[in-house]
Amino acid sequence: MALSGMRGLSVFISDVRNCQNKEQERVRVDKELANIRTRFKNQRGLTAYEKKKYVWKMLYIYMLGYDVDFGHMETVALISAPKYAEKQVGYIVTSCLLNENHDFLRLVINTVRNDIIGRNETFQCLALTMVGNVGGREFSESLAPDVQKLLISNSCRPLVRKKAALCLLRLYRKNPDVVNVEGWSQQMVQLLDERDLGVLTAVMSLLVALVASNPDGYTNCLSKCVYILERLTKSQDILQEYTYYGIPSPWLQVKTMRVLQYFPVIEDSTIRKGLFDVLHRILVGTDVVKNVNKNNASHAVLFEAIALVMHLDADKDLMSQCVALLGKFVAVREPNIRYLGLENMTRMLLVADVSESIKKHQAHIITSLKDPDISIRRRSLDLLYGMCDISNAKDIVEELLQYLTTADFAIREELALKAAILAEKFAPNLAWYVEVILQLIEKAGDFVSDDIWYRVVQFVTNNDDLQAFAAAKAREYLDKPAVHETMVKVAGYLLGEYSHLLARRPGCSPKEVFHIVHDKFPTVTTPTKAILLSAYVKILMHTQPLDQELQVQVEEVFKRCENVVDAEVQQRAVEYITLSRKGSSMVDIMAEMPKFPERQSALIKKAEDTEGESTEMSATKLRQQQNSMALVVADPGPANGGLPPPSEQLALPEPPPPSVETAAIPKAYVNGTSSPHPSASTNGDLLGDLLAPLAIEAPPVTTPPPPPSQVDDPGDPLALALYDQQVNQIKPIGSIEDWFRALSLKDSGVLYEDPYIQIGIKSDWREAQAKVVLFLGNKHTASLVNVRVLILPAPHLKMQFSQVPDTIPPRAQVQVPVEVVCLSASRETAVLDFSYTTSTLPVSVKLRLPTLMNKFLQPAPISASDFVAHWRALVGPPTKLQDVVRGVRPMPVSDMGDLFNSLHIGVAPGLDPNVNNIVAATTFYSQAGATLCLVRVETDPSDRTQMRLTVASQDPNATYELKEFIKEQVIDIPVAPVPAPAPSPAAWGLTGPAAALVGLI
């Protein structure tokens, strides 16, 4: 833009640049804004040149970071100007100052449309650029047909058509309904024949978005995409301006291969052969050169080609060629190239039959563990972890143990965890596993979690042949001068239980073992001392008949601990000194710990939580993740035959309890229901499984079909019935009522769970708006197909949610963001209609979402005088409503106050002189604004089952809805007997959302 003729603008910019500090700049900007505001108020004598100059100044001020809250009408008015210079200013400044929801944009829709359908190509480009930058839903509904006509028009110049394609892409993202698949499928085929690469690149960007949401509708574009790749790779008719460092239009190549990854495997042999020839040409023609820009472009094409090869499930030769090329990248010195090679080789682990090819580069991968760049070290660790199997486990684990002593502190914990898991998964024998873990504790004790040494104890307890070996190894490590406290824990436990097996070995008599262990007693923390006290009494117990000298030494230790501050150590000392005097009867009391019931390792779950972003998925799912707000977080599961089936792996129980007494290990419970997965987290934190990559504890157990007489379970009064009366053979593993009640008071938790899937919610409620994320976690080892998610909003809610993939991969999680806006007060809730298919069993459920009225309430602190003033101003119905509520759940006044506070109705103590009454205030937020609501509850001390409830606010609807909502929360609803089946909504002629709402009512 030429601004040289605007002297006033140039002077203003010069003044701002010459300011010595921020305060001087603010003074100069405020002075200029005041001048502009004055001139805009008095439009007389304001020429088009001056208006244009002032609008440019406003844009410059906005670019400096200052708020510009006026002049928008003048800016929009310039769009209607007949001259190019003024129209250009209007379009550019409007694009910068206004967003898609600004009311002023509605004023220019007709003007923009006239410019688009006009004959002036310059005006068309200005209009398309502005719509492509700020166009919202209203623009898409009004302008999409005209933009489509420009795109397919043969009379328009390529520049206009390119802008039309990008503009249509913006409108499609805002409103997918503007593009009809049936009508546009053939149009896209014709557009892919475009010879101009600029237009073709823009059209391909549009196609990526279209195919991402509906790949089946555009399968006829597949052959055209392959032809485009052939044309580019053979450099046919490519203008020099579209060649980047000798690479024909790398951006178009990347977009085209990305489109092909959305289509299923190509069946046509001719097309498939042509595509493989193109991919082979890309793989062969890519190498590392000194020019950084050329490397970036060629590698972008290469890695997209590798992703396409993985998606197409190409032959083994092509896969091996990809691995060999990545191996060259791993061996180069350039860190960026090596990082990309490691990252893409990790993705290749998802493909079958390539593990042997990757193992050939194991030496270079291990060398990368010592790279100065920590990101490369992390990628190397991930790749080694993924490529490890029974054939190379010993080599990899030994390298990890050697690297552990020099590794950065930021990576040591993850490194120790992965080394422990690899040793457990692929141990050639249990003795090797125990020795590896003890080395791990010695080298990185601070970074070894308790779960790791718990597993050693469980292995040793459950394997009699291992006990003497483990005790001897523990004895060796305790002899060393510097011993980590974790080593003291595991050695103390093992020697306490099994030191008697070493009694005939030199230096392993009970007295010697006691002294070796007790030497570490003064230097350890209190929890470790409790373990050592248990070890002492066990050592003493194994010397039958009792060694009097050893008994005296042990009892002296116990007596010194009788008066310690820590209650656990004190209690053990008192109990053990009594037990030590029981003689032979102590043997029965202090018997060896029994064998643990078999459970899957908790380390596997912890590893999945730690992996985070390192987990990968198929190329198609990656593309869907990039183009959809619904995120799929997947775990690749066992690679290279690593993890055996649950019945074959080294499955052991949870860690032993600190007490030496035999204790029954409780079952894991999920929301009050016995879980079919015994290794589920005992703390019941199910949301932790939702927000982290999904942890699979055990294969789900298919619930057998119930007898016909037990099909329906109406026990959940808050659970929605299946409106189509479909019988689900898969039943939830908890109470839907309990889950919903918990979520009505919390912002995160579990909404639904069965043996195959877990649906969780995490939400952030801010006044009238909320961001809710649904977590759909596949717990099964097979994919869930035919996944369908439909949210039926209540009339008072405005909700938008992203599309959900039809398939959820094994042990994967889909995140579905939902935007919620409250339009008015209501007690109705939205409905989640969810269905999927697994093992040919269809499952369909309809669940109430916790979009209750209290989510849009915020406690309102209020003084006594303000409360009385507002209360008296609201004289009666409909703004002040009173009701006598009977059947109230009996509770003290303090408990009722806590209930109100949990519902975001802020109780104001002391405002009412009667201690049996409650006075509260809250603010209800909706799109219309904030409404102060006052509540007064009068209770009868002699009869807590009734109360008088008064609610007042300026909004009659909010008053009534809040009154009824409070009544629902305090009334005790008895569980009624099972009624006769009611006629289904289908019998009333209702379907879809209407049927869902009828079921709710």
Side-chain angles (χ1 to χ4, degrees):
M1 74 192 77
L3 304 179
S4 58
M6 295 185 180
R7 183 174 179 276
L9 177 60
S10 302
V11 171
F12 172 64
I13 294 175
S14 178
D15 291 346
V16 171
R17 290 179 175 176
N18 292 331
C19 291
Q20 299 298 319
N21 51 52
K22 191 69 176 177
E23 189 61 32
Q24 290 183 9
E25 179 184 292
R26 184 180 296 277
V27 171
R28 182 66 182 90
V29 168
D30 289 342
K31 178 181 177 181
E32 191 65 36
L33 287 175
N35 178 53
I36 296 173
R37 183 182 282 110
T38 302
R39 294 305 306 271
F40 279 168
K41 283 184 179 179
N42 185 11
Q43 296 266 347
R44 294 180 181 178
L46 189 65
T47 64
Y49 165 79
E50 291 176 323
K51 184 183 294 187
K52 183 172 58 172
K53 178 181 65 175
Y54 291 140
V55 170
W56 278 130
K57 288 183 179 181
M58 287 169 49
L59 177 60
Y60 181 69
I61 293 171
Y62 176 78
M63 292 169 61
L64 292 176
Y66 296 93
D67 291 332
V68 179
D69 55 0
F70 69 95
H72 296 161
M73 180 61 77
E74 286 75 9
T75 301
V76 170
L78 287 174
I79 295 178
S80 304
K83 295 182 179 180
Y84 168 76
E86 299 170 19
K87 191 180 286 287
Q88 178 200 32
V89 176
Y91 275 122
I92 293 176
V93 179
T94 299
S95 300
C96 296
L97 296 185
L98 306 184
N99 59 46
E100 63 185 71
N101 298 318
H102 204 287
D103 293 335
F104 283 165
L105 285 180
R106 298 191 182 97
L107 304 177
V108 297
I109 289 181
N110 288 334
T111 302
V112 173
R113 183 174 183 274
N114 290 334
D115 286 340
I116 289 177
I117 63 178
R119 292 294 182 180
N120 191 317
E121 292 183 348
T122 305
F123 290 176
Q124 286 178 333
C125 291
L126 289 174
L128 291 172
T129 302
M130 192 273 285
V131 175
N133 284 325
V134 299
R137 194 172 186 87
E138 293 186 3
F139 274 89
S140 66
E141 294 172 352
S142 304
L143 304 178
D146 298 315
V147 176
Q148 294 177 17
K149 291 178 182 177
L150 278 183
L151 178 58
I152 62 178
S153 172
N154 293 325
S155 59
C156 292
R157 292 174 56 195
L159 176 63
V160 178
R161 298 179 62 201
K162 178 171 64 176
K163 291 183 177 292
L166 297 177
C167 180
L168 185 59
L169 174 60
R170 164 81 181 200
L171 299 180
Y172 176 76
R173 287 173 175 169
K174 292 297 178 181
N175 183 10
D177 296 334
V178 300
V179 176
N180 184 7
V181 176
E182 296 180 0
W184 260 91
S185 177
Q186 193 58 37
Q187 295 287 355
M188 290 303 300
V189 174
Q190 297 177 7
L191 288 172
L192 292 178
D193 288 329
E194 176 64 41
R195 302 301 299 175
D196 186 276
L197 289 188
V199 177
L200 189 57
T201 304
V203 169
M204 197 61 70
S205 299
L206 176 62
L207 183 59
V208 169
L210 296 175
V211 175
S213 59
N214 185 8
D216 295 334
Y218 296 91
T219 52
N220 53 352
C221 298
L222 194 149
S223 59
K224 295 290 185 181
C225 292
V226 175
Y227 171 75
I228 291 172
L229 282 178
E230 292 177 341
R231 172 188 169 192
L232 292 174
T233 53
K234 294 178 181 178
S235 302
Q236 295 178 353
D237 304 329
I238 304 299
L239 298 178
Q240 185 62 34
E241 59 188 277
Y242 291 105
T243 301
Y244 184 78
Y245 287 92
I247 304 171
S249 189
W251 305 277
L252 181 56
Q253 291 190 51
V254 169
K255 291 179 185 293
T256 307
M257 286 187 283
R258 187 167 299 178
V259 168
L260 290 173
Q261 291 176 59
Y262 286 104
F263 294 116
V265 177
I266 303 172
E267 301 295 341
D268 191 308
S269 59
T270 304
I271 298 177
R272 187 178 178 88
K273 182 179 181 302
L275 181 57
F276 281 169
D277 290 342
V278 169
L279 295 175
H280 177 75
R281 190 178 296 112
I282 294 174
L283 295 177
V284 171
T286 305
D287 204 348
V288 179
V289 296
K290 292 184 178 181
N291 190 298
V292 176
N293 292 328
K294 184 173 183 178
N295 270 338
N296 292 338
S298 61
H299 293 161
V301 176
L302 172 67
F303 295 134
E304 204 67 42
I306 291 176
L308 182 56
V309 169
M310 295 169 58
H311 169 70
L312 295 174
D313 194 18
D315 55 64
K316 188 175 181 180
D317 293 338
L318 196 57
M319 292 289 187
S320 300
Q321 189 176 352
C322 293
V323 175
L325 186 58
L326 293 176
K328 291 174 59 178
F329 287 179
V330 171
V332 301
R333 298 181 59 183
E334 171 62 33
N336 292 331
I337 297 176
R338 196 181 326 154
Y339 178 91
L340 292 172
L342 291 168
E343 184 180 37
N344 284 272
M345 194 174 284
T346 304
R347 294 183 181 180
M348 292 292 292
L349 290 172
L350 300 176
V351 182
D353 301 328
V354 299
S355 58
E356 295 301 323
S357 301
I358 294 178
K359 288 178 185 177
K360 298 176 182 178
H361 307 282
Q362 181 172 316
H364 291 302
I365 299 170
I366 291 175
T367 303
S368 298
L369 274 177
K370 304 174 179 63
D371 192 272
D373 191 333
I374 189 172
S375 59
I376 293 180
R377 295 198 295 272
R378 287 188 180 276
R379 293 285 77 80
S380 303
L381 177 60
D382 292 338
L383 181 53
L384 286 173
Y385 179 75
M387 64 185 285
C388 185
D389 58 18
I390 192 66
S391 65
N392 60 358
K394 293 185 69 173
D395 296 335
I396 290 179
V397 171
E398 288 175 2
E399 288 291 344
L400 294 182
L401 289 176
Q402 291 181 8
Y403 173 59
L404 196 56
T405 55
T406 59
D408 289 348
F409 289 98
I411 200 176
R412 283 194 184 184
E413 184 174 1
E414 181 183 357
L415 181 60
L417 177 63
K418 289 187 173 180
I421 290 178
L422 293 179
E424 180 181 338
K425 280 184 178 181
F426 308 112
N429 54 73
L430 294 179
W432 178 83
Y433 168 74
V434 171
E435 190 168 1
V436 165
I437 299 302
L438 293 179
Q439 289 183 39
L440 188 64
I441 295 173
E442 181 190 24
K443 294 176 182 292
D446 290 332
F447 303 95
V448 175
S449 64
D450 287 342
D451 291 332
I452 295 177
W453 78 266
Y454 289 165
R455 293 292 285 168
V456 174
V457 169
Q458 294 160 11
F459 272 118
V460 175
T461 303
N462 284 22
N463 294 272
D464 297 338
D465 298 338
L466 192 61
Q467 293 167 358
F469 173 82
K473 280 293 179 182
R475 164 76 174 75
E476 291 179 14
Y477 279 101
L478 279 187
D479 269 343
K480 297 184 178 182
V483 182
H484 193 273
E485 186 167 342
T486 304
M487 182 67 75
V488 177
K489 291 179 183 178
V490 64
Y493 186 93
L494 293 176
L495 289 174
E497 291 287 338
Y498 310 113
S499 61
H500 62 283
L501 302 176
L502 310 176
R504 296 185 179 181
R505 300 186 185 185
C508 295
S509 66
K511 287 183 184 179
E512 292 171 313
V513 170
F514 168 74
H515 287 299
I516 291 172
V517 176
H518 190 58
D519 285 344
K520 314 299 179 185
F521 191 85
T523 61
V524 298
T525 59
T526 301
T528 307
K529 289 181 179 180
I531 296 176
L532 295 185
L533 290 180
S534 301
Y536 298 161
V537 75
K538 290 271 189 173
I539 294 172
L540 181 63
M541 180 267 296
H542 286 305
T543 59
Q544 296 298 333
L546 285 177
D547 186 329
Q548 297 299 325
E549 183 181 354
L550 178 61
Q551 183 177 8
V552 171
Q553 294 175 357
V554 171
E555 287 183 358
E556 287 179 359
V557 176
F558 290 157
K559 288 178 181 179
R560 288 197 298 269
C561 296
E562 282 182 328
N563 298 318
V564 298
V565 177
D566 185 77
E568 176 69 21
V569 174
Q570 185 186 77
Q571 180 179 353
R572 291 193 184 208
V574 173
E575 292 177 355
Y576 292 161
I577 196 172
T578 304
L579 287 174
S580 65
R581 295 168 181 169
K582 293 289 185 180
S584 59
S585 60
M586 180 176 63
V587 177
D588 297 330
I589 300 173
M590 304 302 298
E592 288 185 8
M593 289 292 291
K595 297 188 185 302
F596 294 97
E598 290 192 355
R599 296 181 182 177
Q600 188 188 8
S601 171
L603 292 178
I604 307 298
K605 178 181 183 302
K606 189 171 183 178
E608 291 170 351
D609 294 341
T610 305
E611 284 173 15
E613 295 181 357
S614 65
T615 55
E616 297 292 344
M617 65 199 79
S618 69
T620 301
K621 295 302 177 185
L622 283 171
R623 295 283 76 81
Q624 290 180 351
Q625 174 176 331
Q626 293 174 0
N627 292 277
S628 171
M629 292 177 63
L631 304 181
V632 180
V633 184
D635 183 356
N640 307 328
L643 182 62
S647 60
E648 300 176 8
Q649 58 181 302
L650 304 174
L652 286 177
E654 292 300 317
S659 173
V660 296
E661 299 180 8
T662 303
I665 300 177
K667 294 182 179 179
Y669 284 84
V670 181
N671 293 345
T673 303
S674 180
S675 170
H677 312 305
S679 65
S681 176
T682 56
N683 62 4
D685 185 11
L686 295 178
L687 191 63
D689 292 340
L690 287 169
L691 303 184
L694 195 66
I696 305 301
E697 290 86 8
V701 180
T702 304
T703 305
S709 61
Q710 299 177 358
V711 165
D712 295 324
D713 180 13
D716 290 347
L718 288 178
L720 291 178
L722 300 179
Y723 303 128
D724 53 2
Q725 299 300 318
Q726 179 181 357
V727 178
N728 286 330
Q729 296 185 13
I730 307 299
K731 294 295 182 181
I733 61 175
S735 170
I736 299 178
E737 174 189 0
D738 292 343
W739 290 328
F740 181 81
R741 286 189 184 278
L743 286 171
S744 65
L745 302 178
K746 299 191 304 181
D747 291 339
S748 59
V750 174
L751 180 66
Y752 173 83
E753 184 174 9
D754 62 30
Y756 291 90
I757 197 164
Q758 185 183 61
I759 304 177
I761 283 184
K762 185 176 182 182
S763 53
D764 181 16
W765 305 86
R766 297 186 180 180
E767 298 183 352
Q769 299 180 351
K771 293 183 178 180
V772 180
V773 181
L774 295 176
F775 297 86
L776 313 179
N778 181 2
K779 301 163 53 178
H780 194 24
T781 54
S783 297
L784 302 181
V785 298
N786 299 327
V787 177
R788 184 177 66 89
V789 173
L790 178 63
I791 297 179
L792 308 175
H796 72 290
L797 297 176
K798 180 182 178 182
M799 305 180 71
Q800 291 184 347
F801 65 100
S802 59
Q803 297 179 353
V804 178
D806 294 335
T807 302
I808 303 180
R811 300 195 300 179
Q813 185 183 93
V814 175
Q815 300 178 16
V816 186
V818 183
E819 301 285 343
V820 183
V821 178
C822 179
L823 305 179
S824 61
S826 177
R827 288 163 292 133
E828 297 184 36
T829 64
V831 179
L832 173 64
D833 185 354
F834 176 75
S835 62
Y836 69 92
T837 302
T838 180
S839 302
T840 68
L841 295 177
V843 180
S844 178
V845 292
K846 294 183 176 67
L847 307 164
R848 294 177 69 187
L849 293 176
T851 53
L852 298 169
M853 186 176 181
N854 66 301
K855 301 294 186 179
F856 303 101
L857 299 177
Q858 289 295 331
I862 191 170
S863 63
S865 58
D866 291 341
F867 185 93
V868 173
H870 285 90
W871 188 264
R872 290 177 176 175
L874 303 169
V875 294
T879 57
K880 181 185 288 185
L881 299 177
Q882 190 174 90
D883 200 352
V884 176
V885 186
R886 293 180 173 83
V888 176
R889 186 167 64 255
M891 67 181 80
V893 176
S894 59
D895 290 353
M896 185 174 292
D898 293 339
L899 173 62
F900 277 32
N901 286 326
S902 67
L903 297 173
H904 301 163
I905 303 174
V907 175
L911 291 189
D912 196 313
N914 190 338
V915 296
N916 293 311
N917 296 348
I918 293 177
V919 172
T922 185
T923 302
F924 171 72
Y925 291 94
S926 66
Q927 197 173 44
T931 304
L932 178 65
C933 303
L934 307 178
V935 179
R936 185 167 185 248
V937 177
E938 302 167 82
T939 65
D940 184 359
S942 61
D943 185 5
R944 293 292 186 186
T945 63
Q946 62 178 353
M947 69 180 193
R948 182 162 59 190
L949 172 65
T950 309
V951 180
S953 76
Q954 293 286 355
D955 183 0
N957 180 53
T959 303
Y960 174 78
E961 293 293 340
L962 181 59
K963 177 179 72 72
E964 295 299 317
F965 176 75
I966 295 175
K967 288 169 60 178
E968 291 177 356
Q969 303 303 314
V970 299
I971 289 178
D972 189 6
I973 303 177
V975 179
V978 179
S984 67
W988 301 333
L990 299 178
T991 59
L997 295 176
V998 168
L1000 276 174
I1001 296 172

